[in-house]
Amino acid sequence: MIVSLPTVIAAVLYTYAEKKALSEQTKQYAAMKILFDKARGRLRDLVDSGKYDVTRYKESRILVEELGKKALEENGDWVIMHRERPLDIPR
């Protein structure tokens, strides 16, 4: 029994990771990190130039709106991914 226990644990962890779509999430989060890092740099440039007021400067507003849209898309993708892969409890 002790010899087979690591194999069973490995199989359970693999199945859990597959059901939770961890590899796909890792790819999505990496892409979003790159996007938000670039946006942070651009916003930092806008703040340094004094053009950070989203009510007055079109470029700042567009950047913030696009970031919001991308974040909503990513959250929607996450929901869809997890609805497609429901976690089943073994019996």
Short mmCIF file of all heavy atoms in Angstrom, two decimals, residues 38-64:
data_model
loop_
_atom_site.label_atom_id
_atom_site.label_comp_id
_atom_site.label_asym_id
_atom_site.label_seq_id
_atom_site.Cartn_x
_atom_site.Cartn_y
_atom_site.Cartn_z
N LYS A 38 3.22 46.82 -19.67
CA LYS A 38 3.36 47.84 -20.72
C LYS A 38 2.47 49.04 -20.43
O LYS A 38 2.89 50.19 -20.61
CB LYS A 38 3.00 47.25 -22.08
CG LYS A 38 4.05 46.31 -22.62
CD LYS A 38 3.64 45.79 -23.99
CE LYS A 38 4.70 44.85 -24.53
NZ LYS A 38 4.34 44.31 -25.85
N ALA A 39 1.24 48.77 -19.99
CA ALA A 39 0.31 49.86 -19.68
C ALA A 39 0.82 50.69 -18.50
O ALA A 39 0.68 51.91 -18.50
CB ALA A 39 -1.07 49.31 -19.39
N ARG A 40 1.41 50.01 -17.51
CA ARG A 40 1.96 50.74 -16.36
C ARG A 40 3.05 51.70 -16.81
O ARG A 40 3.10 52.86 -16.38
CB ARG A 40 2.52 49.77 -15.33
CG ARG A 40 3.07 50.51 -14.11
CD ARG A 40 3.74 49.61 -13.09
NE ARG A 40 3.03 48.36 -12.91
CZ ARG A 40 3.65 47.19 -12.76
NH1 ARG A 40 4.96 47.10 -12.75
NH2 ARG A 40 2.95 46.09 -12.60
N GLY A 41 3.91 51.22 -17.70
CA GLY A 41 4.97 52.09 -18.22
C GLY A 41 4.41 53.27 -18.98
O GLY A 41 4.87 54.41 -18.84
N ARG A 42 3.38 53.03 -19.80
CA ARG A 42 2.77 54.11 -20.56
C ARG A 42 2.06 55.10 -19.64
O ARG A 42 2.15 56.32 -19.82
CB ARG A 42 1.78 53.54 -21.58
CG ARG A 42 1.17 54.56 -22.46
CD ARG A 42 2.23 55.19 -23.37
NE ARG A 42 1.66 56.34 -24.03
CZ ARG A 42 2.20 57.55 -24.01
NH1 ARG A 42 3.35 57.77 -23.43
NH2 ARG A 42 1.60 58.54 -24.62
N LEU A 43 1.36 54.59 -18.64
CA LEU A 43 0.71 55.49 -17.68
C LEU A 43 1.73 56.30 -16.88
O LEU A 43 1.51 57.47 -16.58
CB LEU A 43 -0.21 54.71 -16.74
CG LEU A 43 -1.56 54.29 -17.32
CD1 LEU A 43 -2.29 53.38 -16.36
CD2 LEU A 43 -2.41 55.50 -17.66
N ARG A 44 2.84 55.66 -16.56
CA ARG A 44 3.91 56.39 -15.85
C ARG A 44 4.42 57.54 -16.72
O ARG A 44 4.63 58.65 -16.22
CB ARG A 44 5.05 55.44 -15.50
CG ARG A 44 6.11 56.08 -14.63
CD ARG A 44 7.16 55.09 -14.16
NE ARG A 44 6.52 54.15 -13.26
CZ ARG A 44 6.69 52.81 -13.34
NH1 ARG A 44 7.46 52.30 -14.26
NH2 ARG A 44 6.10 52.02 -12.49
N ASP A 45 4.57 57.30 -18.02
CA ASP A 45 4.99 58.37 -18.94
C ASP A 45 3.95 59.48 -18.98
O ASP A 45 4.30 60.67 -19.01
CB ASP A 45 5.20 57.82 -20.35
CG ASP A 45 6.38 56.87 -20.44
OD1 ASP A 45 7.24 56.87 -19.51
OD2 ASP A 45 6.44 56.12 -21.43
N LEU A 46 2.66 59.11 -18.99
CA LEU A 46 1.61 60.12 -19.02
C LEU A 46 1.57 60.94 -17.73
O LEU A 46 1.37 62.16 -17.77
CB LEU A 46 0.25 59.46 -19.26
CG LEU A 46 0.04 58.88 -20.67
CD1 LEU A 46 -1.22 58.03 -20.71
CD2 LEU A 46 -0.02 59.99 -21.71
N VAL A 47 1.81 60.28 -16.60
CA VAL A 47 1.84 61.00 -15.32
C VAL A 47 3.03 61.95 -15.29
O VAL A 47 2.91 63.11 -14.88
CB VAL A 47 1.89 60.01 -14.14
CG1 VAL A 47 2.24 60.73 -12.84
CG2 VAL A 47 0.57 59.28 -14.00
N ASP A 48 4.17 61.48 -15.75
CA ASP A 48 5.36 62.34 -15.77
C ASP A 48 5.18 63.55 -16.67
O ASP A 48 5.72 64.62 -16.39
CB ASP A 48 6.59 61.53 -16.23
CG ASP A 48 7.02 60.50 -15.19
OD1 ASP A 48 6.58 60.60 -14.02
OD2 ASP A 48 7.78 59.58 -15.56
N SER A 49 4.41 63.39 -17.74
CA SER A 49 4.19 64.53 -18.65
C SER A 49 2.99 65.38 -18.22
O SER A 49 2.69 66.39 -18.85
CB SER A 49 3.98 64.03 -20.08
OG SER A 49 2.77 63.32 -20.18
N GLY A 50 2.29 64.97 -17.15
CA GLY A 50 1.15 65.73 -16.65
C GLY A 50 -0.14 65.44 -17.39
O GLY A 50 -1.12 66.16 -17.24
N LYS A 51 -0.18 64.36 -18.20
CA LYS A 51 -1.37 64.04 -18.99
C LYS A 51 -2.05 62.79 -18.44
O LYS A 51 -2.37 61.88 -19.17
CB LYS A 51 -0.98 63.83 -20.44
CG LYS A 51 -0.43 65.05 -21.11
CD LYS A 51 -0.08 64.76 -22.55
CE LYS A 51 0.43 66.01 -23.22
NZ LYS A 51 0.78 65.76 -24.62
N TYR A 52 -2.32 62.77 -17.15
CA TYR A 52 -2.90 61.59 -16.54
C TYR A 52 -4.37 61.75 -16.18
O TYR A 52 -5.03 60.80 -15.80
CB TYR A 52 -2.13 61.18 -15.29
CG TYR A 52 -2.08 62.27 -14.24
CD1 TYR A 52 -3.07 62.38 -13.28
CD2 TYR A 52 -1.04 63.18 -14.23
CE1 TYR A 52 -3.03 63.38 -12.33
CE2 TYR A 52 -1.00 64.18 -13.28
CZ TYR A 52 -1.99 64.28 -12.35
OH TYR A 52 -1.95 65.27 -11.41
N ASP A 53 -4.91 62.91 -16.30
CA ASP A 53 -6.31 63.16 -15.95
C ASP A 53 -7.20 62.54 -17.04
O ASP A 53 -7.26 63.04 -18.16
CB ASP A 53 -6.56 64.66 -15.83
CG ASP A 53 -7.97 64.97 -15.36
OD1 ASP A 53 -8.76 64.03 -15.15
OD2 ASP A 53 -8.28 66.17 -15.21
N VAL A 54 -7.89 61.45 -16.70
CA VAL A 54 -8.68 60.73 -17.70
C VAL A 54 -9.89 61.52 -18.17
O VAL A 54 -10.48 61.20 -19.19
CB VAL A 54 -9.11 59.33 -17.20
CG1 VAL A 54 -7.92 58.44 -17.02
CG2 VAL A 54 -9.94 59.42 -15.95
N THR A 55 -10.29 62.54 -17.44
CA THR A 55 -11.43 63.34 -17.88
C THR A 55 -11.00 64.38 -18.92
O THR A 55 -11.83 64.85 -19.69
CB THR A 55 -12.08 64.06 -16.69
OG1 THR A 55 -11.12 64.92 -16.05
CG2 THR A 55 -12.64 63.07 -15.70
N ARG A 56 -9.71 64.73 -18.98
CA ARG A 56 -9.25 65.78 -19.89
C ARG A 56 -8.42 65.25 -21.04
O ARG A 56 -8.42 65.85 -22.11
CB ARG A 56 -8.43 66.81 -19.12
CG ARG A 56 -9.26 67.63 -18.17
CD ARG A 56 -8.47 68.64 -17.39
NE ARG A 56 -7.41 69.26 -18.15
CZ ARG A 56 -6.34 69.81 -17.59
NH1 ARG A 56 -6.20 69.82 -16.29
NH2 ARG A 56 -5.40 70.35 -18.32
N TYR A 57 -7.71 64.16 -20.85
CA TYR A 57 -6.79 63.70 -21.87
C TYR A 57 -7.27 62.39 -22.47
O TYR A 57 -7.44 61.38 -21.80
CB TYR A 57 -5.39 63.53 -21.29
CG TYR A 57 -4.80 64.84 -20.82
CD1 TYR A 57 -4.77 65.17 -19.48
CD2 TYR A 57 -4.31 65.75 -21.74
CE1 TYR A 57 -4.24 66.37 -19.05
CE2 TYR A 57 -3.79 66.96 -21.34
CZ TYR A 57 -3.76 67.27 -19.99
OH TYR A 57 -3.24 68.46 -19.58
N LYS A 58 -7.50 62.44 -23.78
CA LYS A 58 -8.08 61.31 -24.50
C LYS A 58 -7.19 60.07 -24.44
O LYS A 58 -7.68 58.94 -24.28
CB LYS A 58 -8.31 61.71 -25.96
CG LYS A 58 -9.02 60.66 -26.78
CD LYS A 58 -9.29 61.17 -28.18
CE LYS A 58 -10.03 60.12 -28.96
NZ LYS A 58 -10.32 60.57 -30.32
N GLU A 59 -5.89 60.22 -24.55
CA GLU A 59 -4.97 59.07 -24.55
C GLU A 59 -5.03 58.30 -23.24
O GLU A 59 -5.08 57.06 -23.24
CB GLU A 59 -3.55 59.54 -24.83
CG GLU A 59 -2.58 58.41 -25.05
CD GLU A 59 -1.20 58.90 -25.40
OE1 GLU A 59 -0.97 60.13 -25.44
OE2 GLU A 59 -0.34 58.05 -25.64
N SER A 60 -5.08 59.00 -22.13
CA SER A 60 -5.18 58.34 -20.83
C SER A 60 -6.50 57.59 -20.71
O SER A 60 -6.54 56.45 -20.25
CB SER A 60 -5.10 59.37 -19.70
OG SER A 60 -3.88 60.05 -19.73
N ARG A 61 -7.58 58.22 -21.14
CA ARG A 61 -8.90 57.59 -21.05
C ARG A 61 -8.96 56.33 -21.91
O ARG A 61 -9.45 55.29 -21.46
CB ARG A 61 -9.97 58.59 -21.47
CG ARG A 61 -11.37 58.07 -21.31
CD ARG A 61 -12.45 59.11 -21.58
NE ARG A 61 -12.29 59.82 -22.84
CZ ARG A 61 -11.95 61.11 -22.96
NH1 ARG A 61 -11.74 61.84 -21.89
NH2 ARG A 61 -11.83 61.68 -24.14
N ILE A 62 -8.44 56.41 -23.13
CA ILE A 62 -8.46 55.25 -24.02
C ILE A 62 -7.64 54.11 -23.43
O ILE A 62 -8.07 52.95 -23.46
CB ILE A 62 -7.94 55.64 -25.42
CG1 ILE A 62 -8.96 56.54 -26.12
CG2 ILE A 62 -7.65 54.41 -26.25
CD1 ILE A 62 -8.46 57.14 -27.41
N LEU A 63 -6.48 54.41 -22.86
CA LEU A 63 -5.63 53.39 -22.27
C LEU A 63 -6.33 52.69 -21.10
O LEU A 63 -6.36 51.46 -21.02
CB LEU A 63 -4.31 53.99 -21.80
CG LEU A 63 -3.30 53.04 -21.16
CD1 LEU A 63 -2.91 51.94 -22.15
CD2 LEU A 63 -2.08 53.80 -20.70
N VAL A 64 -6.96 53.47 -20.23
CA VAL A 64 -7.66 52.89 -19.08
C VAL A 64 -8.87 52.08 -19.54
O VAL A 64 -9.13 50.98 -19.03
CB VAL A 64 -8.07 53.99 -18.08
CG1 VAL A 64 -8.98 53.44 -17.01
CG2 VAL A 64 -6.82 54.62 -17.46
#
